[in-house]
Amino acid sequence: MYSSDSIAFYIMKKVIFLTHTTHDQATHDMSSALVYWYGVLENMGYEVVYSDYREYDIESFYLSAKEYKPDFIIAINYFDSQHEEFNRLREFTKIYLLTSDIYRFYDSHVQHQINNVDGVIHFEEEQKPNEKLLKMRWAFNPNTMTSDYIPSSKSNILHYGGLHGGRVQSINNLLSKNLNVRVLQSNLTYEQVKKEQLNSKYSLCFTHNAIMSRQEVKGRIVEIPNYTVLLTEPAPCLDLYFDESEIIIFNSAEEAKEKIDYYNLNKKEYNNLLHRGKRALWNRNTCYHEWDKILPIIDSDYKPKDITKLLKTQHGKYYYE
């Protein structure tokens, strides 16, 4: 017979993720937000419900959330509303806004949201100090960014994503140097994109923002090295993710050609670069590393995890070291 003080009761804390759950309404492909965040908090000990933002209605959401009693809500920022009604949710829980593009939209949007939430999680340096701004790095999600596909060979330089912000001209500059750049169609599923990356020797990341006002770290820098070699323009804080022995950084088409020609002629060096980039993702750039820093701020009961052990336990099939 057990005495009451010999039994440890564990109550799993609850989280609601308010986000687009699919990429668009015509397909069932995962939204970009889910690609980056799906499955992570579950593996860190939380019960998670994903609520589709496209179906968001404050009255029904308020009532269902109040009944569910989440310990906190994470809402992806789609810049379509100031959401003053979020304050109602704070009657019974905490709510955090998860946002990209804070540098570009701080004055016009984010600063007006701060008073409606308990905190804003973001990926860039903030323009103005505020205790509610919580800095997180972009991070690799092993739940969605792994693949069982094995390519028979690798060739070409791949670009996937938008063609805004001078990217067409940048691609044309690379093509003018006889570099074989292949641009993916925009209607591919994420599983297809992963296969195309695995089929490629290099994958591009352009770092200028859409209005060409600054260079900044893009989320794809933490996807690409799991599949192939990251070929990227420089950006502030890029060195917080990788050093130059793990990726290729180029400032011009001429520099890109020089470095690619070198690695194409030195297969061993190319394979070493590929290995170091992938190892860097798993060793220090996963979502688990980042949430392990943020969660103690959000959840006073959270105890930091042994991330290497967690990765090996949850993702042993894919774990890379």
Side-chain angles (χ1 to χ4, degrees), residues 37-50:
W37 309 119
Y38 181 79
V40 177
L41 294 181
E42 293 93 320
N43 287 337
M44 301 184 84
Y46 294 87
E47 177 181 301
V48 182
V49 170
Y50 297 91

Side-chain angles (χ1 to χ4, degrees), residues 66-83:
K66 190 172 184 179
E67 181 180 2
Y68 181 63
K69 297 181 176 64
D71 292 276
F72 53 92
I73 297 169
I74 298 171
I76 303 299
N77 190 7
Y78 291 106
F79 303 103
D80 60 345
S81 175
Q82 293 298 341
H83 289 303

Side-chain angles (χ1 to χ4, degrees), residues 165-291:
R167 293 178 183 183
V168 172
Q169 184 59 54
S170 296
I171 290 171
N172 286 336
N173 290 342
L174 294 170
L175 290 170
S176 73
K177 302 301 177 184
N178 295 316
L179 293 173
N180 187 5
V181 180
R182 187 163 59 93
V183 178
L184 282 191
Q185 300 175 22
S186 60
N187 61 348
L188 296 183
T189 67
Y190 190 61
E191 287 302 315
Q192 290 171 318
V193 169
K194 289 192 288 187
K195 286 184 178 180
E196 293 297 337
Q197 292 204 82
L198 285 161
N199 284 329
S200 305
K201 288 194 75 173
Y202 310 93
S203 189
L204 277 165
C205 179
F206 297 114
T207 59
H208 282 91
N209 65 11
I211 58 174
M212 298 291 288
S213 63
R214 68 193 295 263
Q215 288 179 288
E216 57 199 19
V217 169
K218 301 297 183 181
R220 61 175 45 89
I221 70 161
V222 294
E223 298 178 61
I224 291 170
N226 194 54
Y227 315 114
T228 189
V229 167
L230 171 61
L231 176 64
T232 181
E233 293 177 327
C237 302
L238 183 60
D239 60 343
L240 300 180
Y241 296 79
F242 303 102
D243 64 45
E244 292 193 47
S245 72
E246 297 164 334
I247 59 176
I248 296 175
I249 302 172
F250 69 96
N251 290 277
S252 65
E254 291 79 9
E255 184 179 8
K257 178 173 174 56
E258 179 183 344
K259 291 181 176 180
I260 287 170
D261 285 349
Y262 171 80
Y263 285 110
N264 284 344
L265 290 172
N266 295 274
K267 184 177 180 180
K268 182 177 179 181
E269 288 301 312
Y270 172 85
N271 288 334
N272 286 339
L273 179 64
L274 183 65
H275 162 71
R276 289 192 295 266
K278 187 171 183 176
R279 182 179 61 188
L281 279 189
W282 287 90
N283 283 1
R284 60 180 187 270
N285 289 308
T286 74
C287 291
Y288 299 110
H289 290 95
E290 293 308 298
W291 280 111

Side-chain angles (χ1 to χ4, degrees), residues 140-152:
F140 169 66
N141 184 358
N143 294 286
T144 59
M145 297 178 182
T146 51
S147 176
D148 293 319
Y149 175 71
I150 301 174
S152 57

